[in-house]
Amino acid sequence: MATRKSAGAGKTKLVSIVVDDLLQKFEQLPNDEAFAYFYCDRNQSDLQNPTLILSSFVRQLSTLRNHGIPRSIVQMYDQKRQTAFASGTLKLKESQTLVADLFQTYPQITLVVDALDECDKNTRSEFIDILEKFVDESPNPIKIFISSRRDRDIEDRFKDGPSLGISATDNRDDIATYVRHEIPKFRRMKISPELEELVYNTLVRRSEGMFQRVSLQITMLLKFSRERDIRNRLEKLPQTLEEAYEELYLKIRSQEGSTPMIAYRAFHLSGS
């Protein structure tokens, strides 16, 4: 299954809910079903590398059971120890082999990969090949949940499989509920009910299915205390999420003291 959304629409949040639900489910199951997950991130090279994704699967799958370290892991460790670990971390093929071996120890396996589109474009086709090989060759059932934006190469690879497409407009009701919940914050400024409704309608209409965009605009609007300023702001909302981040960043940079440097580091870490 692949869920597809635009940036800022809450795709990773949706996947995190799926992951949390599955973690809770598998903790309650007594039959040793296996579960592993990975969140890709185009802004961090180590979170878009198929080798790191598979090595993460190895770590997660090898520590699920209470029956000691799997034999295949011990054997790989011994091989590397004989060469004084000259080869360093696990290579792609090594991780692939270990994951395939670990699959044989569980009656069923579920894998979740978030933001496949943020995996390195030069290597993600090979990663998809590996996932397909797991499904074809594993002696036990495998379920794989993948989320991604609508990148052509990914759509082509999964066009024959079950897929759930989610557009930004599917979030409209949820965003409307969120904005309605936030509206009371404006009442401390004693704005008119008519302006409250204008804020609500404008934010929902301009959200384009992006929770993050709405959240940023609410933050900016709450900085004003006069109705005229709020109305002016509503007429000049940024057109895109990127413009909203840029505006926020420039405002922070204009501040004195260490605030700009702290903000720069935060924006750098988040990739904004």
Side-chain angles (χ1 to χ4, degrees), residues 167-194:
S167 66
T169 55
D170 294 329
N171 281 341
R172 185 178 179 85
D173 290 344
D174 292 333
I175 288 178
T177 299
Y178 169 69
V179 175
R180 187 65 75 186
H181 181 269
E182 295 294 299
I183 284 296
K185 294 181 179 179
F186 290 89
R187 291 173 186 163
R188 62 179 174 79
M189 296 181 284
K190 299 181 179 180
I191 66 175
S192 67
E194 183 269 334

Side-chain angles (χ1 to χ4, degrees), residues 4-14 149 166-179 200-217 238-241:
R4 308 182 182 98
K5 286 189 173 185
S6 57
K11 172 177 58 61
T12 295
K13 180 63 176 178
L14 175 63
R149 296 180 195 169
I166 304 177
S167 66
T169 55
D170 294 329
N171 281 341
R172 185 178 179 85
D173 290 344
D174 292 333
I175 288 178
T177 299
Y178 169 69
V179 175
Y200 170 81
N201 290 328
T202 302
L203 292 179
V204 173
R205 176 170 49 84
R206 298 283 298 276
S207 68
E208 296 185 357
M210 301 182 192
F211 277 97
Q212 191 62 26
R213 182 174 180 175
V214 173
S215 178
L216 285 173
Q217 294 313 313
Q239 297 297 312
T240 66
L241 180 63

Side-chain angles (χ1 to χ4, degrees), residues 89-232:
T89 58
L90 291 173
K91 306 302 181 183
L92 181 66
K93 291 298 182 182
E94 293 174 334
S95 293
Q96 180 181 347
T97 299
L98 287 174
V99 171
D101 289 342
L102 289 166
F103 282 169
Q104 300 181 41
T105 65
Y106 300 101
Q108 181 169 298
I109 304 95
T110 300
L111 302 178
V112 173
V113 180
D114 176 51
L116 181 60
D117 58 290
E118 300 191 28
C119 186
D120 185 357
K121 288 186 177 181
N122 296 319
T123 57
R124 69 188 182 199
S125 179
E126 182 179 10
F127 178 62
I128 295 174
D129 288 338
I130 292 172
L131 293 179
E132 291 179 342
K133 188 173 183 179
F134 286 157
V135 173
D136 292 338
E137 298 182 359
S138 175
N140 300 318
I142 298 179
K143 298 178 181 179
I144 301 178
F145 180 97
I146 295 172
S147 75
S148 174
R149 296 180 195 169
R150 298 178 184 274
D151 286 15
R152 177 60 63 83
D153 62 312
I154 295 176
E155 284 197 310
D156 288 343
R157 292 298 297 269
F158 292 102
K159 63 182 179 181
D160 296 327
S163 177
L164 174 64
I166 304 177
S167 66
T169 55
D170 294 329
N171 281 341
R172 185 178 179 85
D173 290 344
D174 292 333
I175 288 178
T177 299
Y178 169 69
V179 175
R180 187 65 75 186
H181 181 269
E182 295 294 299
I183 284 296
K185 294 181 179 179
F186 290 89
R187 291 173 186 163
R188 62 179 174 79
M189 296 181 284
K190 299 181 179 180
I191 66 175
S192 67
E194 183 269 334
L195 181 54
E196 283 187 15
E197 199 63 20
L198 179 62
V199 170
Y200 170 81
N201 290 328
T202 302
L203 292 179
V204 173
R205 176 170 49 84
R206 298 283 298 276
S207 68
E208 296 185 357
M210 301 182 192
F211 277 97
Q212 191 62 26
R213 182 174 180 175
V214 173
S215 178
L216 285 173
Q217 294 313 313
I218 290 175
T219 299
M220 298 300 292
L221 286 169
L222 287 173
K223 294 182 180 296
F224 299 108
S225 58
R226 301 173 62 187
E227 286 204 8
R228 184 177 62 182
D229 294 332
I230 295 175
R231 291 179 186 274
N232 289 336

Side-chain angles (χ1 to χ4, degrees), residues 227-249:
E227 286 204 8
R228 184 177 62 182
D229 294 332
I230 295 175
R231 291 179 186 274
N232 289 336
R233 173 65 186 179
L234 289 173
E235 294 175 357
K236 301 175 182 179
L237 293 178
Q239 297 297 312
T240 66
L241 180 63
E242 289 75 16
E243 290 179 6
Y245 274 125
E246 179 68 16
E247 180 185 52
L248 179 61
Y249 179 58

